[in-house]
Amino acid sequence: QVQLVESGGNLVQPGGSLRLSCAVSGIAFRIYTMYWYRQAPGKERELVAGVTSSGITTYADSVKGRFTISRDNTKNTVYLQMNSLKPEDTAVYFCHHPRDSGYWGQGTQVTISS
């Protein structure tokens, strides 16, 4: 059974930091690009960042310079380090595995508010 389990979401003040984790099981991990998406209330789900099997990263313009995606292939886990958080980063964050029609986790809530 394929499982993607996100964790690390929380309520933090603007300017704060969070580190999200996504543990993947039941599916090949090392050879696939992994992604983080987010969905804010009333908005479409949007791509935040991706990391290839060799560690090459891509980011949405809105998070460049603030977020860092990484992976640990020994732990089948992908991370999202989020710094200098803004209220507009408030969303449910999902990790995504692209094999077949794609797999999603349940999401983790990130709320940025003073």
Side-chain angles (χ1 to χ4, degrees), residues 45-65:
R45 192 170 295 190
E46 64 173 353
L47 177 63
V48 174
V51 57
T52 69
S53 58
S54 60
I56 297 171
T57 57
T58 58
Y59 298 95
D61 287 344
S62 59
V63 306
K64 278 181 183 175

Side-chain angles (χ1 to χ4, degrees), residues 18-114:
L18 283 173
R19 188 192 195 208
L20 307 184
S21 300
C22 174
V24 179
S25 61
I27 193 170
F29 177 83
R30 186 199 314 249
I31 62 173
Y32 287 91
T33 298
M34 291 296 299
Y35 302 93
W36 282 99
Y37 283 75
R38 67 186 181 186
Q39 188 166 18
K43 294 190 175 181
E44 298 284 320
R45 192 170 295 190
E46 64 173 353
L47 177 63
V48 174
V51 57
T52 69
S53 58
S54 60
I56 297 171
T57 57
T58 58
Y59 298 95
D61 287 344
S62 59
V63 306
K64 278 181 183 175
R66 300 187 299 121
F67 290 12
T68 303
I69 188 171
S70 61
R71 65 192 295 160
D72 185 339
N73 288 336
T74 68
K75 297 181 179 179
N76 285 9
T77 300
V78 59
Y79 303 98
L80 188 68
Q81 177 66 43
M82 307 188 295
N83 299 328
S84 303
L85 284 161
K86 305 175 181 180
E88 51 264 43
D89 295 317
T90 295
V92 180
Y93 284 70
F94 300 89
C95 64
H96 176 67
H97 189 295
R99 206 190 84 175
D100 302 328
S101 57
Y103 295 90
W104 298 90
Q106 82 287 349
T108 186
Q109 177 69 50
V110 171
T111 303
I112 313 304
S113 175
S114 54

